[in-house]
């Protein structure tokens, strides 16, 4: 039986591991290694296989919280992790050079999964770099003919992560 | 000199509460009783309770039993069977009806002196006099209001000046506003004002730069959103029709604008589009609430509208799997406290 799960994706450093940690009932099991490329300026470690967290419902059912590795070169892991996924949470780091291009890459690579489920977008670090704005993100999505919820979030904030999850659930309910 | 009386409310939705506060502003011209909103039930002359909620239903009985001096007003669709000393106000909240009820409340609270001051003028005439600065409910939203001008002139810089000479500058294209001597609720009131009660001047960029020196720019989206919800009163903005087909062209930032669960659900539904009836049927929410949301989206240009409704796509899910999913989602929400 496939486990029911939510998938967190996005570029390295966007806050996937942190977001999972804020709502998981145990500290996420991570497969991090020390960063050796340009990423090491931003963070000490990066996820190479996955992050795993969990919540247990009142009836004992387990809901998995899976974080994908950020880098495109681990795409084979993305395809494995999305099996049984309820929906996708895309976290985008606004400090990166081309956040809209990042978003485009994740939406394209998860297109089939999103088509079958749904997606929400959380933009992190907007307090550090405020462009592109959320309007720019929405305009970008509009040009792609897509409408997805996009919000400024702090991955460390439980309220923010729950807001994303609640929005995703609402979208799934009405699809 | 008119008396100043205070009104407290309980169980009202956010949009009805905002509407109520704006309508209370209409009593400023009354020569007998001016009503203000208060957050203190004890300080109030009247208490308005939404009786369409189970909690409100209980509260109204408690208030009646307490035998306090406050006049109790029941607001709801089913106010039959209430004690005779409770005033009744039916849904939706309409300015004319509210003003008439407030006059009765003022009269009761003051032991009839308010009525004496008014003489023997029939209630309908009094309402007309009270509401002459604004409009009665039937045309409330249809009237040209400051808000309507702002969302239509969406690339201009407009300075709105009220009768007291206070001003707000709206840089509509950049979705900002600049206010020096008005707090946000006063700016909301200004947006709900009829055009004839304000002056609007268009400003050039150099004039704008000069005027806004040392004034902090504020995001106008939450302001316009709230004002649109407040003045909707269950009626579509000019140019929108009840039978139309509505679809979002972008997702509203509900984290910034207010995380109302109904609005979230409506935004999700409006992604694929449909008619007001379809949305009302799906969400089981009153049509007036759907209209409030549609107006707010329209004001922020988040909406695509076609005059003729096309059938919404039928749900593809089997009922059983849909129920299973809803059950699962409800359990997840319950577990996470959302």
């Amino acid at each position: 039986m496939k486990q029911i799960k939510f998938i967190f994706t996005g570029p390295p450093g966007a806050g996937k591991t942190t977001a999972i940690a804020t709502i998981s009932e145990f500290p996420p099991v991570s497969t991090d290694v020390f960063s050796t490329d340009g990423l090491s300026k931003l963070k000490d470690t990066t996820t190479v296989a996955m992050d795993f967290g969990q919540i247990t419902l009142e009836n004992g059912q387990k809901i998995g919280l899976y974080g994908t590795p950020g880098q495109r070169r681990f795409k084979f892991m993305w395809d494995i992790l999305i099996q049984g996924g309820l929906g996708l949470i895309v976290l985008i780091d606004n400090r990166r050079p081309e956040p809209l291009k990042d978003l485009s890459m994740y939406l394209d690579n998860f297109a089939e999964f999103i088509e079958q489920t749904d997606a929400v977008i959380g933009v992190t670090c907007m307090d550090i770099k405020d462009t592109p704005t959320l309007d720019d993100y929405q305009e970008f999505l509009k040009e792609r003919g897509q409408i997805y919820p996009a919000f400024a979030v702090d991955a460390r904030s439980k309220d923010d992560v729950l807001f994303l999850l609640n929005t995703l659930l609402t979208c799934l309910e009405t699809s | 000199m008119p008396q100043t009386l205070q009104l407290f409310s309980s169980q009202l939705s956010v949009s009805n509460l905002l509407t109520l506060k704006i309508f209370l502003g209409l009593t400023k011209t009354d020569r007998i009783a001016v009503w203000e909103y208060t957050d203190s039930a004890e300080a109030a002359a009247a208490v308005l309770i939404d009786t369409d909620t189970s909690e409100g239903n209980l509260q109204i009985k408690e208030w009646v039993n307490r035998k306090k001096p406050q006049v109790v007003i029941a607001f709801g669709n089913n106010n039959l069977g209430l004690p005779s000393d409770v005033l009744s106000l039916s849904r939706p909240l309409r300015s004319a009806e509210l003003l008439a009820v407030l006059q009765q409340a003022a009269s009761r609270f003051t032991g009839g002196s308010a009525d004496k001051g008014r003489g023997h003028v029939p209630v309908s005439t009094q309402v007309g006099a009270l509401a002459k600065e604004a409009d009665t409910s039937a045309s409330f939203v249809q009237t040209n209001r400051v808000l309507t001008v702002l969302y239509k002139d969406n690339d201009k810089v407009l300075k709105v000046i009220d009768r007291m000479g206070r001003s707000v500058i709206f840089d509509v294209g950049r979705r900002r506003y600049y206010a020096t001597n008005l707090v946000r609720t006063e700016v909301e009131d200004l947006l709900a004002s009829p055009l004839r009660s304000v002056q609007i001047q268009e400003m050039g960029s150099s004039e704008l730069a000069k005027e806004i020196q040392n004034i902090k720019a504020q995001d106008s989206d939450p302001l316009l959103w709230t004002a649109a919800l407040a003045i909707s009163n269950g009626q579509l903005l000019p140019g929108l029709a009840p039978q139309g087909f509505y679809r979002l062209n972008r997702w509203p930032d509900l984290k910034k604008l207010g995380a109302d669960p109904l609005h979230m659900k409506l935004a999700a539904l409006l992604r694929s589009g449909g008619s007001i009836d379809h949305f009302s049927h799906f969400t089981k929410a009153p049509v007036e609430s759907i209209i409030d949301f549609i107006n707010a989206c329209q004001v922020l240009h988040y909406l695509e509208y076609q005059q003729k409704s096309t059938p919404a796509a039928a749900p593809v899910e089997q009922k059983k799997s849909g129920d299973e999913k809803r059950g699962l989602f409800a359990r997840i929400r319950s577990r996470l406290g959302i």
Side-chain angles (χ1 to χ4, degrees):
Chain A
M1 187 182 151
K2 284 176 191 167
Q3 191 193 12
I4 291 173
K5 56 191 171 187
F6 290 103
I7 313 296
F8 291 72
T9 195
K16 301 180 292 294
T17 310
T18 309
I20 291 171
T22 59
I23 55 171
S24 173
E25 58 203 16
F26 52 74
V29 178
S30 298
T31 49
D32 285 0
V33 296
F34 287 104
S35 310
T36 52
D37 50 15
L39 186 64
S40 59
K41 288 175 193 162
L42 284 175
K43 55 190 289 204
D44 294 335
T45 62
T46 191
T47 305
V48 290
M50 63 173 184
D51 290 314
F52 171 65
Q54 187 171 274
I55 50 174
T56 308
L57 306 185
E58 282 165 13
N59 63 356
Q61 191 173 8
K62 312 278 187 199
I63 305 291
L65 307 165
Y66 284 79
T68 69
Q71 287 120 317
R72 173 76 176 76
R73 63 176 182 268
F74 297 114
K75 184 178 183 305
F76 67 95
M77 278 303 299
W78 301 354
D79 298 333
I80 296 167
L81 289 174
I82 59 173
Q83 301 301 317
L86 275 177
L88 187 69
I89 294 132
V90 187
L91 294 176
I92 298 294
D93 181 351
N94 221 37
R95 295 168 302 178
R96 284 169 57 90
E98 293 182 283
L100 295 175
K101 206 171 164 186
D102 289 342
L103 176 62
S104 182
M105 194 273 282
Y106 289 100
L107 291 179
D108 289 344
N109 278 282
F110 286 94
E112 204 177 315
F113 177 61
I114 297 172
E115 181 72 24
Q116 291 161 6
T117 58
D118 219 319
V120 291
I121 300 156
V123 185
T124 60
C125 303
M126 285 200 91
D127 52 335
I128 298 167
K129 184 167 165 276
D130 59 6
T131 54
T133 63
L134 282 179
D135 267 350
D136 296 331
Y137 278 93
Q138 289 294 353
E139 205 55 46
F140 178 75
L141 289 168
K142 195 175 166 187
E143 280 166 20
R144 290 172 54 102
Q146 294 172 319
I147 304 169
Y148 294 116
F151 308 108
V153 295
D154 181 340
R156 297 163 299 183
S157 158
K158 188 174 180 181
D159 284 348
D160 281 9
V161 179
L162 290 180
F163 187 82
L164 281 175
L165 213 51
N166 195 17
T167 306
L168 179 59
L169 288 172
T170 307
C171 289
L172 291 167
E173 276 168 341
T174 54
S175 61
Chain B
M1 276 289 285
Q3 286 188 70
T4 298
L5 299 175
Q6 293 186 313
L7 178 74
F8 172 78
S9 74
S10 179
Q11 302 299 313
L12 282 193
S13 66
V14 174
S15 66
N16 271 328
L17 180 59
L18 289 165
T19 308
L20 176 71
K21 287 178 179 176
I22 287 172
F23 286 169
L24 290 183
L26 301 177
T27 65
K28 280 179 191 164
T29 53
D30 190 54
R31 62 183 192 281
I32 309 298
V34 174
W35 286 87
E36 289 175 349
Y37 191 80
T38 176
D39 289 321
S40 161
E42 295 305 317
V47 179
L48 186 148
I49 301 171
D50 188 338
T51 50
D52 286 343
T53 65
S54 52
E55 182 64 20
N57 234 320
L58 287 173
Q59 282 184 7
I60 205 126
K61 286 168 192 154
E62 283 172 20
W63 268 99
V64 172
N65 290 337
R66 280 186 207 171
K67 308 232 178 278
K68 292 233 175 185
Q70 284 87 356
V71 179
V72 182
I73 303 167
F75 170 61
N77 280 331
N78 187 12
N79 285 338
L80 295 172
L82 291 170
S84 57
D85 53 345
V86 173
L87 296 176
S88 177
L89 181 64
S90 58
R91 268 196 145 78
L93 193 55
R94 296 175 192 281
S95 56
E97 288 167 20
L98 174 73
L99 296 176
V101 167
L102 288 177
Q103 284 184 3
Q104 290 179 53
S107 170
R108 283 194 192 177
F109 188 74
T110 57
S113 64
D115 267 353
K116 282 174 203 154
R118 235 177 258 288
H120 294 291
V121 186
V123 167
S124 57
T125 315
Q126 295 165 19
V127 170
L130 267 174
K132 72 180 177 188
E133 286 296 304
D135 302 284
T136 55
S137 57
S139 60
F140 188 80
V141 79
Q142 297 293 332
T143 303
N144 265 342
R145 294 186 179 275
V146 175
L147 179 68
T148 324
V149 173
L150 288 183
Y151 95 83
K152 280 184 179 164
D153 288 338
N154 58 6
D155 56 349
K156 291 181 180 165
V157 178
L158 300 171
K159 183 175 185 179
V160 183
I161 309 161
D162 72 6
R163 283 177 175 170
M164 294 162 75
R166 300 176 305 177
S167 64
V168 184
I169 297 168
F170 292 93
D171 187 348
V172 189
R174 291 192 178 86
R175 306 163 92 118
R176 292 174 193 162
Y177 75 99
Y178 303 85
T180 45
N181 45 10
L182 289 169
V183 294
R184 181 170 155 170
T185 50
E186 289 172 320
V187 182
E188 282 169 10
D189 285 353
L190 192 69
L191 287 172
S193 305
L195 279 182
R196 63 176 174 273
S197 64
V198 299
Q199 272 183 39
I200 299 185
Q201 297 168 355
E202 194 173 337
M203 296 174 78
S205 53
S206 56
E207 204 181 344
L208 172 71
K210 202 172 152 189
E211 287 238 14
I212 62 171
Q213 280 176 355
N214 306 322
I215 307 178
K216 195 182 164 205
Q218 297 182 70
D219 185 350
S220 63
D221 282 1
L223 181 78
L224 298 180
W225 179 268
T226 310
L229 288 174
I231 71 161
S232 284
N233 203 25
Q235 292 175 63
L236 286 163
L237 285 166
L240 302 179
Q243 298 81 18
F245 179 85
Y246 296 92
R247 181 160 44 201
L248 280 183
N249 58 33
R250 64 173 58 193
W251 187 279
D253 183 358
L254 295 174
K255 190 162 174 260
K256 176 175 81 175
L257 301 169
D260 182 321
L262 175 63
H263 292 171
M264 206 185 273
K265 199 176 269 188
L266 284 170
L269 281 172
L270 270 150
R271 287 198 300 180
S272 43
S275 67
I276 291 171
D277 281 345
H278 166 72
F279 302 136
S280 177
H281 177 76
F282 194 97
T283 58
K284 298 181 175 60
V287 166
E288 65 181 89
S289 303
I290 314 292
I291 288 174
D292 291 352
F293 181 76
I294 283 180
N295 283 344
C297 289
Q298 172 74 349
V299 163
L300 294 188
H301 304 281
Y302 290 165
L303 210 58
E304 281 166 15
Y305 163 67
Q306 290 167 12
Q307 273 195 332
K308 205 172 176 186
S309 179
T310 52
V316 288
E317 269 178 352
Q318 296 286 321
K319 192 180 179 303
K320 194 181 165 199
S321 66
D323 287 347
E324 278 173 12
K325 262 191 179 177
R326 273 189 288 279
L328 172 66
F329 297 161
R331 286 195 295 278
I332 295 173
R333 283 202 169 96
S334 161
R335 164 68 180 78
L336 294 171
I338 51 181

